[in-house]
Amino acid sequence: MKVKRLTELALLTAAALIIFVVELQIPYPFPIPGIKPGFANIITVYAVYHYRPHEVAMIAAIRILLGAVFTGNFMALIYSAAGTLLCLLAMFPLKKVIDEKHIWMTSVIGAVMHNTGQMAAALIILQTPQLLLYYPFLIVSGCLAGAFTGLCAQFITKRLQKYRKAER
């Protein structure tokens, strides 16, 4: 891997981690665990469209691992990993049929899959079927958060394209 590419991946990982840590400082009024905007996923959604799958997986894995270290919440590592795995498995094929002008659509589906992965992990770990009562709320919040993060990633993509054109 070239140094420039590795530097880009490191910067994206750092940006995602910073966004993740800052987002944790925002108090959320929702009584349902797992509902949050997921602003760090703006970086992930952007990366899905501009980097190779193994590079995106690397960004996500390092962010999840360091996020758990920085917050001291290692249980979150399991939930985040399960959600991210399902999310990426859904988004990689979708990017082939959904173009950059509609990144938000891929993001919505990715967010729903992320919540599904987290719910599956919670059900396996906690062995509490009543958790499924949260699932509809997680799906709705996932759609809203996914649309927002996807629109942000779409905006970033558009701005970077203009920047790259001006650079030439």
Side-chain angles (χ1 to χ4, degrees), residues 90-162:
M91 288 198 309
F92 288 134
L94 283 173
K95 85 171 191 176
K96 294 177 182 173
V97 293
I98 299 174
D99 65 0
E100 279 189 1
K101 293 178 184 173
H102 300 93
I103 290 176
W104 68 272
M105 292 168 59
T106 302
S107 181
V108 168
I109 295 167
V112 169
M113 295 306 288
H114 191 277
N115 286 340
T116 301
Q118 287 183 317
M119 179 59 70
L123 289 170
I124 291 167
I125 292 168
L126 301 174
Q127 300 286 312
T128 309
Q130 293 85 357
L131 288 174
L132 286 172
L133 295 172
Y134 292 135
Y135 192 60
F137 299 102
L138 289 173
I139 295 302
V140 170
S141 71
C143 287
L144 295 172
F148 178 78
T149 58
L151 287 169
C152 289
Q154 201 167 308
F155 175 77
I156 289 168
T157 297
K158 205 174 196 177
R159 295 292 289 193
L160 287 175
Q161 285 173 345
K162 286 181 183 178

Side-chain angles (χ1 to χ4, degrees), residues 20-75:
F20 173 78
V21 171
V22 169
E23 182 181 352
L24 289 176
Q25 304 308 309
I26 301 170
Y28 293 108
F30 306 110
I32 298 170
I35 292 182
K36 62 180 197 151
F39 296 136
N41 293 322
I42 294 168
I43 305 298
T44 305
V45 174
Y46 168 81
V48 163
Y49 275 83
H50 297 93
Y51 292 89
R52 294 183 207 113
H54 72 277
E55 294 170 334
V56 179
M58 214 170 27
I59 291 169
I62 293 168
R63 182 191 54 82
I64 290 168
L65 181 64
L66 291 177
V69 169
F70 288 175
T71 62
N73 186 356
F74 290 96
M75 274 310 286

